[in-house]
Amino acid sequence: MEINDKLTYEEAMQRLKEIVGELERKEVKIDVLSSTVSEAKSLVEFCREKLDSTEDDIKKIIDPEAEGQT
Amino acid sequence: MAQNRKVYSLSQLNQSLENHFTTKFGERTFWVTAEVIKVNAKNGNFYLELADSKNNTMTAKSSATLWSRNYRVIQDQVGATELQGILKPGNNVLFALKITYHPVYGLKLNILDIDPAYSYGAIEKRRQEVIEKLRAAQLLDKQKSLKLPAIIKRIALIGSPDTSGFTDFNDELFSNHAFNKFVIKVFPVRVQGEQAVPELISAVKEAACFDADVIVILRGGGSKMDLAIFDNFDLANTIASSRLPVLTGIGHETDRVVADLVAHSFFKTPTAVAAYIHYAIASYKEIMGDLYDRIIHRAQRLISVEREEFNHINRYLQHHSGTMIQYWRTQFQQFENEVITAATSIVHASKRTQDNTIHQLIYQVERTVQDHQNEVDRMLEDIKVNAVHLIDQERKFSIVQRIDQIRSHSINQLERYAVVLENYNDLLDMLNPHKMLMEGYTISTIEGTDVQDVAGALTGQTLKTLTSKQLITSEIKAVKNTTKEDGNQR
């Protein structure tokens, strides 16, 4: 799955779950294992970054003044 | 005929009337209901015109007087504002009065007392009629369908600016509440008297064209009679049909007029209307604050749930990618072991076969070697025999011959070399420059190059001439070309 602006958090998480399922069911061939894990890694980065930025946004909304201090 | 007529003077007539009235009615007090048509006050005395009507046609009309003395008595009982409210044109009033007749002023009703309950009753009756009419026209609840905005900011204010109700409203509205960015458009109207109703109606209509959130109608205090104007059907109809919700703050705590009933919401007093507006805003703010908190809480909750799931998935991912690799490693290991065992068994097998073949090979080789050995021995033997034979032969003939051949060959070769040498010698002798110099030739050179080989102009150059005895260095002055056309002598 390609990481771009159109990618949504849900899609990324869905793909991550698929990968975990495939790994769990040992369906990932050795030839594609590294590419699959690297795809998973970029998806993880994407989701983590999305979560962090959303959380920051909410913090800013809740306490705009505090934003100045952080 | 004319002679037996008894003629009176007007005075006599009126006098007798006066007497008649005094004797007949003088002492009697009558409770009379009548509608007040006109009221004039002078020096504390009230001069009224009363009337009665049936089906909108006047059936009786009299003037009445309420002397200040009686006025004060009634006022103490009924209350000043109430009394003033009752003594208003258009009101039906129950009077206690005496009939008097004055020769000059004619028939006069002298008001002694008023029973307000009757007026109120009349008002109530009229109010009920209006209410029925409104109900029939389904106007009573029309305003209720309108939606009151959460924040009432733009207000079309209908009332009389210099009345207490008005100031109470503004005080309450603009006192230090959290929110006071109100936009008020005042529609000043009279809230008393005949002109009040038409003014109120046109104000409500006009207010509806104003970009307002609500229309507020104020009428602080006032007697029941005064407030009766707000029972007017046309006014109620206008209010009911107004496109903007109407809030009413009319009268005192207990007063309830028709305008209240058809309005979107009614309040006890003008102040109460302002208080409600603030209350609506405050509660709206509170609701918003609560919603805001809940949204924030929900958002945070959502984030933590998502993060939890994310972390869960992430851990799973790391675990499984690890186990996956482990799995493939073990798979690989297994395969490797299998390969190795297979390979080793193959190797062993092939070793064994190899050994066998080697053994066979060795055996073969040994045998072949042996055969060859034998062969070689045999050949050796032959060779030996042949060699000996050959040698013998050689010794007998061919060696001598060979030697002779060599000798003659080499002599020839020597002679050829000698001749060649001789020739070189002569040539050398000839070319010996010393010999030439001895014969008188000279060798001229410029910077080591034979003058004949030097290209370009010679004049001015240094010439070295070698003779048999000397080396002459000179400078070329002139050069003369000595060659003839046929170029055979220089």
Side-chain angles (χ1 to χ4, degrees), chain B residues 362-414:
Chain B
I362 289 165
Y363 170 69
Q364 288 292 341
V365 163
E366 276 166 358
R367 253 190 53 206
T368 9
V369 162
Q370 196 53 49
D371 294 352
H372 282 289
Q373 190 67 44
N374 302 342
E375 182 71 20
V376 162
D377 291 349
R378 265 198 317 284
M379 286 169 73
L380 208 60
E381 208 43 47
D382 291 355
I383 289 163
K384 224 182 268 170
V385 164
N386 290 335
V388 165
H389 176 62
L390 260 174
I391 286 162
D392 289 348
Q393 269 190 328
E394 276 304 307
R395 194 173 282 116
K396 286 179 185 121
F397 303 107
S398 61
I399 284 173
V400 171
Q401 259 179 340
R402 286 274 184 290
I403 289 164
D404 293 344
Q405 278 175 352
I406 290 164
R407 186 182 295 110
S408 65
H409 188 59
S410 47
I411 288 162
N412 294 342
Q413 192 71 10
L414 283 173

Short mmCIF file of all heavy atoms in Angstrom, two decimals, chain B residues 362-414:
data_model
loop_
_atom_site.label_atom_id
_atom_site.label_comp_id
_atom_site.label_asym_id
_atom_site.label_seq_id
_atom_site.Cartn_x
_atom_site.Cartn_y
_atom_site.Cartn_z
N ILE B 362 41.82 -47.94 -10.34
CA ILE B 362 43.23 -48.23 -9.98
C ILE B 362 43.62 -49.58 -10.59
O ILE B 362 44.65 -49.76 -11.23
CB ILE B 362 43.39 -48.25 -8.44
CG1 ILE B 362 43.27 -46.81 -7.94
CG2 ILE B 362 44.73 -48.89 -8.03
CD1 ILE B 362 43.05 -46.72 -6.44
N TYR B 363 42.63 -50.48 -10.33
CA TYR B 363 42.92 -51.83 -10.84
C TYR B 363 43.17 -51.76 -12.34
O TYR B 363 44.17 -52.27 -12.87
CB TYR B 363 41.73 -52.73 -10.52
CG TYR B 363 41.80 -54.06 -11.19
CD1 TYR B 363 42.76 -55.02 -10.81
CD2 TYR B 363 40.99 -54.35 -12.31
CE1 TYR B 363 42.86 -56.24 -11.46
CE2 TYR B 363 41.10 -55.57 -12.95
CZ TYR B 363 42.04 -56.52 -12.54
OH TYR B 363 42.15 -57.71 -13.21
N GLN B 364 42.24 -51.01 -13.01
CA GLN B 364 42.36 -50.87 -14.47
C GLN B 364 43.71 -50.27 -14.82
O GLN B 364 44.46 -50.77 -15.68
CB GLN B 364 41.24 -49.93 -14.99
CG GLN B 364 39.86 -50.50 -14.98
CD GLN B 364 39.70 -51.59 -15.96
OE1 GLN B 364 40.56 -51.69 -16.90
NE2 GLN B 364 38.78 -52.52 -15.74
N VAL B 365 43.96 -49.22 -14.11
CA VAL B 365 45.21 -48.47 -14.41
C VAL B 365 46.41 -49.39 -14.21
O VAL B 365 47.30 -49.51 -15.06
CB VAL B 365 45.30 -47.22 -13.48
CG1 VAL B 365 46.72 -46.68 -13.44
CG2 VAL B 365 44.29 -46.17 -13.91
N GLU B 366 46.31 -50.08 -13.05
CA GLU B 366 47.47 -50.94 -12.77
C GLU B 366 47.64 -51.94 -13.90
O GLU B 366 48.72 -52.15 -14.45
CB GLU B 366 47.25 -51.63 -11.43
CG GLU B 366 47.67 -50.76 -10.25
CD GLU B 366 47.15 -51.31 -8.93
OE1 GLU B 366 46.43 -52.35 -9.00
OE2 GLU B 366 47.38 -50.68 -7.89
N ARG B 367 46.50 -52.45 -14.26
CA ARG B 367 46.61 -53.46 -15.33
C ARG B 367 47.15 -52.83 -16.59
O ARG B 367 48.11 -53.30 -17.22
CB ARG B 367 45.22 -54.06 -15.58
CG ARG B 367 45.15 -55.52 -15.00
CD ARG B 367 43.92 -56.29 -15.40
NE ARG B 367 43.72 -56.30 -16.82
CZ ARG B 367 42.50 -56.44 -17.36
NH1 ARG B 367 41.42 -56.51 -16.59
NH2 ARG B 367 42.35 -56.46 -18.68
N THR B 368 46.53 -51.67 -16.95
CA THR B 368 47.02 -51.06 -18.17
C THR B 368 48.51 -50.69 -18.02
O THR B 368 49.32 -50.94 -18.92
CB THR B 368 46.25 -49.74 -18.47
OG1 THR B 368 45.41 -49.36 -17.40
CG2 THR B 368 45.44 -49.88 -19.73
N VAL B 369 48.80 -50.17 -16.86
CA VAL B 369 50.22 -49.77 -16.66
C VAL B 369 51.11 -50.99 -16.88
O VAL B 369 52.10 -50.99 -17.61
CB VAL B 369 50.41 -49.17 -15.23
CG1 VAL B 369 51.90 -49.19 -14.85
CG2 VAL B 369 49.80 -47.79 -15.17
N GLN B 370 50.58 -52.06 -16.27
CA GLN B 370 51.37 -53.29 -16.40
C GLN B 370 51.52 -53.66 -17.87
O GLN B 370 52.62 -53.94 -18.37
CB GLN B 370 50.63 -54.40 -15.63
CG GLN B 370 51.50 -55.60 -15.35
CD GLN B 370 52.77 -55.15 -14.66
OE1 GLN B 370 52.73 -54.40 -13.68
NE2 GLN B 370 53.95 -55.55 -15.22
N ASP B 371 50.36 -53.55 -18.53
CA ASP B 371 50.43 -53.95 -19.96
C ASP B 371 51.43 -53.05 -20.68
O ASP B 371 52.31 -53.51 -21.42
CB ASP B 371 49.04 -53.77 -20.60
CG ASP B 371 48.02 -54.76 -19.98
OD1 ASP B 371 48.54 -55.63 -19.20
OD2 ASP B 371 46.80 -54.62 -20.17
N HIS B 372 51.22 -51.76 -20.37
CA HIS B 372 52.11 -50.83 -21.08
C HIS B 372 53.57 -51.08 -20.72
O HIS B 372 54.46 -51.02 -21.55
CB HIS B 372 51.74 -49.37 -20.71
CG HIS B 372 50.52 -48.88 -21.43
ND1 HIS B 372 50.55 -48.60 -22.78
CD2 HIS B 372 49.24 -48.72 -21.03
CE1 HIS B 372 49.32 -48.23 -23.14
NE2 HIS B 372 48.51 -48.30 -22.08
N GLN B 373 53.71 -51.37 -19.43
CA GLN B 373 55.09 -51.64 -18.98
C GLN B 373 55.70 -52.75 -19.84
O GLN B 373 56.81 -52.62 -20.38
CB GLN B 373 55.03 -52.06 -17.50
CG GLN B 373 56.38 -52.13 -16.82
CD GLN B 373 56.98 -50.75 -16.71
OE1 GLN B 373 56.28 -49.79 -16.35
NE2 GLN B 373 58.25 -50.64 -17.11
N ASN B 374 54.83 -53.77 -19.91
CA ASN B 374 55.34 -54.92 -20.68
C ASN B 374 55.66 -54.45 -22.10
O ASN B 374 56.74 -54.75 -22.67
CB ASN B 374 54.29 -56.03 -20.71
CG ASN B 374 53.95 -56.45 -19.29
OD1 ASN B 374 54.75 -56.13 -18.37
ND2 ASN B 374 52.84 -57.11 -19.06
N GLU B 375 54.72 -53.69 -22.60
CA GLU B 375 54.88 -53.23 -23.98
C GLU B 375 56.20 -52.47 -24.13
O GLU B 375 56.99 -52.70 -25.06
CB GLU B 375 53.68 -52.28 -24.30
CG GLU B 375 53.61 -51.74 -25.70
CD GLU B 375 53.23 -52.86 -26.71
OE1 GLU B 375 52.70 -53.84 -26.21
OE2 GLU B 375 53.57 -52.78 -27.88
N VAL B 376 56.33 -51.59 -23.13
CA VAL B 376 57.52 -50.72 -23.18
C VAL B 376 58.79 -51.57 -23.09
O VAL B 376 59.75 -51.38 -23.83
CB VAL B 376 57.46 -49.68 -21.98
CG1 VAL B 376 58.84 -49.09 -21.75
CG2 VAL B 376 56.42 -48.65 -22.28
N ASP B 377 58.67 -52.52 -22.14
CA ASP B 377 59.87 -53.40 -21.99
C ASP B 377 60.21 -54.01 -23.36
O ASP B 377 61.35 -54.01 -23.82
CB ASP B 377 59.56 -54.47 -20.96
CG ASP B 377 59.45 -53.88 -19.57
OD1 ASP B 377 59.85 -52.63 -19.49
OD2 ASP B 377 58.96 -54.49 -18.62
N ARG B 378 59.05 -54.48 -23.93
CA ARG B 378 59.33 -55.15 -25.21
C ARG B 378 59.97 -54.17 -26.18
O ARG B 378 60.99 -54.43 -26.84
CB ARG B 378 58.00 -55.67 -25.80
CG ARG B 378 57.71 -57.17 -25.46
CD ARG B 378 56.66 -57.78 -26.37
NE ARG B 378 55.50 -56.94 -26.62
CZ ARG B 378 54.49 -56.71 -25.76
NH1 ARG B 378 54.58 -57.30 -24.56
NH2 ARG B 378 53.49 -55.89 -26.07
N MET B 379 59.35 -53.00 -26.24
CA MET B 379 59.88 -52.03 -27.23
C MET B 379 61.32 -51.67 -26.90
O MET B 379 62.17 -51.53 -27.79
CB MET B 379 58.99 -50.77 -27.17
CG MET B 379 57.64 -50.98 -27.82
SD MET B 379 56.61 -49.54 -27.40
CE MET B 379 57.39 -48.31 -28.46
N LEU B 380 61.52 -51.52 -25.58
CA LEU B 380 62.88 -51.18 -25.16
C LEU B 380 63.88 -52.21 -25.70
O LEU B 380 64.92 -51.87 -26.27
CB LEU B 380 62.89 -51.15 -23.62
CG LEU B 380 63.92 -50.23 -22.98
CD1 LEU B 380 63.65 -48.78 -23.45
CD2 LEU B 380 63.88 -50.31 -21.47
N GLU B 381 63.40 -53.40 -25.50
CA GLU B 381 64.27 -54.50 -25.96
C GLU B 381 64.58 -54.32 -27.45
O GLU B 381 65.73 -54.32 -27.89
CB GLU B 381 63.52 -55.81 -25.69
CG GLU B 381 64.42 -57.01 -25.46
CD GLU B 381 65.61 -56.69 -24.53
OE1 GLU B 381 65.38 -56.05 -23.45
OE2 GLU B 381 66.76 -56.92 -24.96
N ASP B 382 63.44 -54.04 -28.17
CA ASP B 382 63.65 -53.92 -29.64
C ASP B 382 64.62 -52.79 -29.92
O ASP B 382 65.56 -52.91 -30.73
CB ASP B 382 62.32 -53.57 -30.32
CG ASP B 382 61.36 -54.79 -30.25
OD1 ASP B 382 61.89 -55.82 -29.74
OD2 ASP B 382 60.15 -54.67 -30.57
N ILE B 383 64.29 -51.69 -29.21
CA ILE B 383 65.13 -50.50 -29.45
C ILE B 383 66.58 -50.82 -29.22
O ILE B 383 67.47 -50.51 -30.01
CB ILE B 383 64.68 -49.33 -28.52
CG1 ILE B 383 63.31 -48.80 -29.02
CG2 ILE B 383 65.70 -48.24 -28.47
CD1 ILE B 383 62.59 -47.97 -27.98
N LYS B 384 66.70 -51.50 -28.03
CA LYS B 384 68.11 -51.84 -27.69
C LYS B 384 68.75 -52.58 -28.87
O LYS B 384 69.81 -52.21 -29.39
CB LYS B 384 68.10 -52.70 -26.41
CG LYS B 384 69.18 -52.27 -25.39
CD LYS B 384 69.12 -53.20 -24.19
CE LYS B 384 68.21 -52.61 -23.12
NZ LYS B 384 67.95 -53.61 -22.03
N VAL B 385 68.00 -53.56 -29.29
CA VAL B 385 68.58 -54.39 -30.35
C VAL B 385 68.87 -53.51 -31.57
O VAL B 385 69.97 -53.48 -32.13
CB VAL B 385 67.53 -55.48 -30.70
CG1 VAL B 385 67.92 -56.12 -32.05
CG2 VAL B 385 67.52 -56.52 -29.54
N ASN B 386 67.84 -52.73 -31.93
CA ASN B 386 68.02 -51.91 -33.14
C ASN B 386 69.15 -50.91 -32.97
O ASN B 386 69.95 -50.67 -33.88
CB ASN B 386 66.74 -51.15 -33.44
CG ASN B 386 65.64 -52.11 -33.92
OD1 ASN B 386 66.05 -53.17 -34.44
ND2 ASN B 386 64.39 -51.86 -33.68
N ALA B 387 69.15 -50.36 -31.78
CA ALA B 387 70.18 -49.33 -31.52
C ALA B 387 71.56 -49.91 -31.73
O ALA B 387 72.41 -49.33 -32.41
CB ALA B 387 69.99 -48.82 -30.09
N VAL B 388 71.73 -51.03 -31.10
CA VAL B 388 73.07 -51.65 -31.21
C VAL B 388 73.39 -51.85 -32.69
O VAL B 388 74.47 -51.49 -33.18
CB VAL B 388 73.01 -52.98 -30.43
CG1 VAL B 388 74.21 -53.84 -30.82
CG2 VAL B 388 72.95 -52.70 -28.93
N HIS B 389 72.34 -52.30 -33.34
CA HIS B 389 72.58 -52.60 -34.76
C HIS B 389 72.96 -51.33 -35.51
O HIS B 389 73.96 -51.29 -36.28
CB HIS B 389 71.28 -53.20 -35.33
CG HIS B 389 71.31 -53.47 -36.79
ND1 HIS B 389 72.24 -54.39 -37.36
CD2 HIS B 389 70.66 -52.91 -37.84
CE1 HIS B 389 72.06 -54.38 -38.65
NE2 HIS B 389 71.10 -53.45 -38.97
N LEU B 390 72.18 -50.31 -35.20
CA LEU B 390 72.43 -49.04 -35.90
C LEU B 390 73.82 -48.49 -35.61
O LEU B 390 74.52 -48.04 -36.50
CB LEU B 390 71.39 -48.00 -35.42
CG LEU B 390 70.17 -47.76 -36.35
CD1 LEU B 390 69.20 -46.83 -35.68
CD2 LEU B 390 70.68 -47.15 -37.67
N ILE B 391 74.11 -48.58 -34.35
CA ILE B 391 75.41 -48.04 -33.97
C ILE B 391 76.50 -48.75 -34.76
O ILE B 391 77.40 -48.12 -35.30
CB ILE B 391 75.63 -48.21 -32.46
CG1 ILE B 391 74.74 -47.16 -31.75
CG2 ILE B 391 77.09 -47.99 -32.06
CD1 ILE B 391 74.52 -47.48 -30.29
N ASP B 392 76.34 -50.04 -34.79
CA ASP B 392 77.38 -50.77 -35.51
C ASP B 392 77.49 -50.20 -36.90
O ASP B 392 78.57 -49.89 -37.41
CB ASP B 392 77.00 -52.25 -35.56
CG ASP B 392 77.15 -52.91 -34.18
OD1 ASP B 392 77.78 -52.15 -33.35
OD2 ASP B 392 76.64 -53.98 -33.91
N GLN B 393 76.27 -50.04 -37.49
CA GLN B 393 76.29 -49.58 -38.89
C GLN B 393 76.95 -48.21 -38.98
O GLN B 393 77.85 -47.98 -39.80
CB GLN B 393 74.85 -49.47 -39.41
CG GLN B 393 74.39 -50.76 -40.08
CD GLN B 393 73.09 -50.50 -40.76
OE1 GLN B 393 72.36 -49.68 -40.25
NE2 GLN B 393 72.86 -51.14 -41.91
N GLU B 394 76.52 -47.37 -38.11
CA GLU B 394 77.04 -45.98 -38.12
C GLU B 394 78.56 -46.03 -38.04
O GLU B 394 79.23 -45.32 -38.76
CB GLU B 394 76.50 -45.22 -36.90
CG GLU B 394 75.12 -44.59 -37.08
CD GLU B 394 75.02 -43.66 -38.27
OE1 GLU B 394 75.89 -42.72 -38.35
OE2 GLU B 394 74.19 -43.91 -39.14
N ARG B 395 78.88 -46.87 -36.99
CA ARG B 395 80.33 -46.88 -36.78
C ARG B 395 81.02 -47.27 -38.11
O ARG B 395 82.03 -46.69 -38.46
CB ARG B 395 80.65 -47.90 -35.68
CG ARG B 395 82.13 -47.74 -35.15
CD ARG B 395 82.40 -48.64 -33.92
NE ARG B 395 81.83 -48.07 -32.65
CZ ARG B 395 80.85 -48.71 -31.96
NH1 ARG B 395 80.34 -49.87 -32.36
NH2 ARG B 395 80.37 -48.14 -30.84
N LYS B 396 80.45 -48.15 -38.79
CA LYS B 396 81.15 -48.63 -39.99
C LYS B 396 81.13 -47.57 -41.06
O LYS B 396 82.16 -47.25 -41.68
CB LYS B 396 80.49 -49.92 -40.50
CG LYS B 396 80.85 -51.09 -39.59
CD LYS B 396 80.14 -52.35 -40.15
CE LYS B 396 80.44 -53.48 -39.13
NZ LYS B 396 79.12 -53.96 -38.66
N PHE B 397 80.06 -46.93 -41.36
CA PHE B 397 80.07 -46.10 -42.59
C PHE B 397 79.84 -44.62 -42.34
O PHE B 397 80.64 -43.76 -42.64
CB PHE B 397 78.96 -46.56 -43.54
CG PHE B 397 79.06 -47.99 -43.88
CD1 PHE B 397 78.17 -48.92 -43.36
CD2 PHE B 397 80.09 -48.48 -44.71
CE1 PHE B 397 78.30 -50.26 -43.66
CE2 PHE B 397 80.21 -49.80 -45.01
CZ PHE B 397 79.34 -50.71 -44.51
N SER B 398 78.72 -44.39 -41.79
CA SER B 398 78.14 -43.00 -41.89
C SER B 398 78.96 -41.99 -41.09
O SER B 398 79.06 -40.83 -41.51
CB SER B 398 76.73 -43.03 -41.39
OG SER B 398 76.75 -43.45 -40.02
N ILE B 399 79.64 -42.33 -40.01
CA ILE B 399 80.35 -41.30 -39.23
C ILE B 399 81.45 -40.67 -40.06
O ILE B 399 81.60 -39.45 -40.15
CB ILE B 399 80.92 -41.91 -37.94
CG1 ILE B 399 79.73 -42.08 -36.96
CG2 ILE B 399 81.93 -40.95 -37.27
CD1 ILE B 399 80.07 -42.83 -35.69
N VAL B 400 82.22 -41.59 -40.76
CA VAL B 400 83.36 -41.03 -41.53
C VAL B 400 82.84 -40.04 -42.57
O VAL B 400 83.34 -38.92 -42.75
CB VAL B 400 84.05 -42.20 -42.18
CG1 VAL B 400 85.09 -41.66 -43.15
CG2 VAL B 400 84.67 -43.12 -41.12
N GLN B 401 81.77 -40.61 -43.22
CA GLN B 401 81.24 -39.73 -44.29
C GLN B 401 80.88 -38.36 -43.75
O GLN B 401 81.23 -37.31 -44.30
CB GLN B 401 79.96 -40.38 -44.83
CG GLN B 401 80.17 -41.11 -46.13
CD GLN B 401 78.85 -41.74 -46.53
OE1 GLN B 401 78.01 -41.90 -45.67
NE2 GLN B 401 78.71 -42.10 -47.80
N ARG B 402 80.22 -38.43 -42.63
CA ARG B 402 79.70 -37.15 -42.02
C ARG B 402 80.85 -36.19 -41.79
O ARG B 402 80.73 -34.99 -42.08
CB ARG B 402 79.05 -37.47 -40.67
CG ARG B 402 77.71 -38.14 -40.80
CD ARG B 402 76.64 -37.10 -40.94
NE ARG B 402 75.34 -37.75 -40.97
CZ ARG B 402 74.91 -38.49 -41.99
NH1 ARG B 402 75.68 -38.65 -43.02
NH2 ARG B 402 73.69 -39.07 -41.94
N ILE B 403 81.94 -36.70 -41.26
CA ILE B 403 83.06 -35.83 -40.89
C ILE B 403 83.57 -35.13 -42.14
O ILE B 403 83.81 -33.92 -42.18
CB ILE B 403 84.17 -36.66 -40.21
CG1 ILE B 403 83.65 -37.08 -38.80
CG2 ILE B 403 85.47 -35.88 -40.08
CD1 ILE B 403 84.41 -38.17 -38.16
N ASP B 404 83.74 -35.90 -43.23
CA ASP B 404 84.27 -35.29 -44.46
C ASP B 404 83.37 -34.17 -44.90
O ASP B 404 83.79 -33.07 -45.29
CB ASP B 404 84.35 -36.34 -45.56
CG ASP B 404 85.42 -37.42 -45.23
OD1 ASP B 404 86.22 -37.01 -44.29
OD2 ASP B 404 85.49 -38.50 -45.79
N GLN B 405 82.11 -34.55 -44.89
CA GLN B 405 81.12 -33.50 -45.34
C GLN B 405 81.29 -32.22 -44.52
O GLN B 405 81.36 -31.10 -45.07
CB GLN B 405 79.71 -34.04 -45.14
CG GLN B 405 79.24 -34.96 -46.27
CD GLN B 405 77.88 -35.55 -45.91
OE1 GLN B 405 77.45 -35.35 -44.77
NE2 GLN B 405 77.26 -36.28 -46.85
N ILE B 406 81.39 -32.35 -43.23
CA ILE B 406 81.49 -31.18 -42.34
C ILE B 406 82.71 -30.35 -42.71
O ILE B 406 82.67 -29.12 -42.86
CB ILE B 406 81.55 -31.63 -40.87
CG1 ILE B 406 80.14 -32.18 -40.48
CG2 ILE B 406 81.95 -30.51 -39.94
CD1 ILE B 406 80.17 -33.01 -39.21
N ARG B 407 83.83 -31.09 -42.89
CA ARG B 407 85.10 -30.40 -43.14
C ARG B 407 84.96 -29.53 -44.40
O ARG B 407 85.21 -28.34 -44.38
CB ARG B 407 86.22 -31.42 -43.32
CG ARG B 407 87.65 -30.72 -43.43
CD ARG B 407 88.79 -31.68 -43.66
NE ARG B 407 89.03 -32.63 -42.51
CZ ARG B 407 88.77 -33.95 -42.57
NH1 ARG B 407 88.22 -34.51 -43.66
NH2 ARG B 407 89.03 -34.68 -41.48
N SER B 408 84.49 -30.19 -45.50
CA SER B 408 84.52 -29.40 -46.75
C SER B 408 83.57 -28.20 -46.61
O SER B 408 83.86 -27.06 -47.03
CB SER B 408 84.10 -30.30 -47.91
OG SER B 408 82.73 -30.69 -47.69
N HIS B 409 82.52 -28.50 -45.95
CA HIS B 409 81.49 -27.44 -45.83
C HIS B 409 82.05 -26.24 -45.09
O HIS B 409 81.88 -25.06 -45.49
CB HIS B 409 80.27 -28.07 -45.09
CG HIS B 409 79.09 -27.19 -45.08
ND1 HIS B 409 78.47 -26.72 -46.22
CD2 HIS B 409 78.46 -26.59 -44.06
CE1 HIS B 409 77.47 -25.92 -45.88
NE2 HIS B 409 77.48 -25.80 -44.54
N SER B 410 82.77 -26.57 -44.05
CA SER B 410 83.27 -25.43 -43.25
C SER B 410 84.37 -24.69 -43.98
O SER B 410 84.45 -23.43 -43.91
CB SER B 410 83.74 -25.96 -41.88
OG SER B 410 84.53 -27.07 -42.07
N ILE B 411 85.19 -25.39 -44.74
CA ILE B 411 86.27 -24.69 -45.48
C ILE B 411 85.62 -23.69 -46.42
O ILE B 411 86.00 -22.51 -46.50
CB ILE B 411 87.15 -25.69 -46.20
CG1 ILE B 411 88.02 -26.46 -45.16
CG2 ILE B 411 88.06 -25.00 -47.22
CD1 ILE B 411 88.58 -27.72 -45.70
N ASN B 412 84.62 -24.19 -47.14
CA ASN B 412 83.96 -23.26 -48.10
C ASN B 412 83.47 -22.00 -47.40
O ASN B 412 83.66 -20.87 -47.83
CB ASN B 412 82.76 -23.95 -48.74
CG ASN B 412 83.21 -25.13 -49.61
OD1 ASN B 412 84.45 -25.13 -49.95
ND2 ASN B 412 82.42 -26.11 -49.95
N GLN B 413 82.86 -22.29 -46.33
CA GLN B 413 82.24 -21.17 -45.57
C GLN B 413 83.30 -20.13 -45.19
O GLN B 413 83.09 -18.91 -45.36
CB GLN B 413 81.60 -21.77 -44.29
CG GLN B 413 80.70 -20.81 -43.57
CD GLN B 413 79.40 -20.56 -44.32
OE1 GLN B 413 79.15 -21.29 -45.30
NE2 GLN B 413 78.74 -19.49 -44.06
N LEU B 414 84.45 -20.67 -44.75
CA LEU B 414 85.57 -19.79 -44.30
C LEU B 414 86.04 -18.92 -45.44
O LEU B 414 86.23 -17.70 -45.32
CB LEU B 414 86.69 -20.63 -43.74
CG LEU B 414 86.42 -21.17 -42.30
CD1 LEU B 414 87.58 -22.18 -41.92
CD2 LEU B 414 86.38 -19.99 -41.32
#
